[in-house]
Amino acid sequence: MTTSEHKDAVAPVAVITADGVTGSLGLVFDRFVPLIAGAIFLVVWEVFVRWRGIPPYVLPAPSVIFQSLWTNAGGLMRALGNTALVTLSAFVLATISGIALGILISLFRTVEKIIWPYAVALQVTPIIAIAPLVIIWVGLSRVWLALLILSWLVAFFPMLSATVVGMKSVDRGLQNVFTLYRATRWERLLRLQLPAALPFILSGARVSSGLSVIGAVVAEFVAGSGT
């Protein structure tokens, strides 16, 4: 093999290796871009607060925030645990009650006429408006129950609406097939309507999970202001 042939055989390997290194560096850079941007933002924030001499009660510096988090870690973790418990409980209750009531509304026209208008009215009512009333009705000795109710109210309607829409969006052709084979109402529910509504229910659960957090935080804010 001549010298020129040897260089031609080695050159592609070098090119492939360089491309691989470049691709790896690009992948690492893409993964760490959010961290780098966040670090730059915190540094700019810290410098701006110190340079302008802004009081901590107006805009605390990141160092002050981290110091407070470290100093009050025990109390903050307990508060986080309480909020997480209320949020999770409200989400589970909203999921179960929303799906169950949505099925009843879809199956029975009378139930829909009775419940649906009140559910819509409850949904459009701001949670901040009814939170003091719920806290007063439940009592300050059971604030946790008021928090649970308020968080459940916020998370309930998305599950109910998603279940009803999903149950009513079943393909008409499949419904005719079930009618042709004389399927009972429960067979139609379990084998056709619920499977067809599952994507809608999961979408409603995604919305409901976020709203349950908002409801719990708003309820805690109102309860804390009241006490």
Side-chain angles (χ1 to χ4, degrees):
M1 179 181 292
T2 63
T3 305
S4 59
E5 292 176 347
H6 179 71
K7 290 181 179 180
D8 293 339
V10 174
V13 177
V15 171
I16 293 174
T17 303
D19 291 342
V21 173
T22 303
S24 300
L25 292 177
L27 182 61
V28 172
F29 180 76
D30 290 339
R31 290 182 176 179
F32 285 94
V33 160
L35 295 178
I36 297 173
I40 294 174
F41 174 76
L42 292 177
V43 170
V44 173
W45 181 0
E46 182 79 23
V47 173
F48 176 76
V49 170
R50 292 181 179 273
W51 172 57
R52 298 292 295 180
I54 300 176
Y57 58 83
V58 176
L59 180 63
S63 58
V64 176
I65 296 175
F66 292 144
Q67 182 181 1
S68 179
L69 290 175
W70 178 261
T71 304
N72 305 299
L76 292 175
M77 290 304 297
R78 286 192 297 271
L80 177 62
N82 294 332
T83 303
L85 180 60
V86 171
T87 301
L88 182 60
S89 302
F91 173 66
V92 172
L93 291 176
T95 301
I96 296 174
S97 59
I99 293 176
L101 191 57
I103 292 174
L104 291 177
I105 290 176
S106 302
L107 294 180
F108 304 102
R109 183 71 174 175
T110 304
V111 177
E112 179 179 6
K113 291 181 179 180
I114 295 174
I115 295 179
W116 191 254
Y118 297 103
V120 174
L122 185 62
Q123 172 63 20
V124 299
T125 303
I127 187 65
I128 195 70
I130 62 176
L133 296 176
V134 174
I135 294 175
I136 292 174
W137 292 338
V138 173
L140 295 178
S141 60
R142 296 187 297 175
V143 176
W144 63 270
L145 182 57
L147 302 181
L148 180 62
I149 293 174
L150 292 170
S151 183
W152 169 79
L153 286 176
V154 176
F156 168 72
F157 189 80
M159 289 304 306
L160 175 64
S161 178
T163 303
V164 173
V165 172
M167 294 283 289
K168 292 186 176 182
S169 64
V170 180
D171 183 77
R172 180 62 61 181
L174 293 177
Q175 292 188 13
N176 293 334
V177 171
F178 272 71
T179 302
L180 180 64
Y181 282 94
R182 298 179 180 179
T184 64
R185 174 177 293 180
W186 297 109
E187 289 176 341
R188 188 187 299 268
L189 171 66
L190 296 177
R191 298 183 181 181
L192 177 61
Q193 291 176 299
L194 280 180
L198 186 58
F200 295 87
I201 294 175
L202 293 178
S203 178
R206 180 174 59 85
V207 177
S208 180
S209 61
L211 291 179
S212 61
V213 178
I214 297 175
V217 172
V218 171
E220 288 181 346
F221 174 78
V222 176
S225 301
T227 56

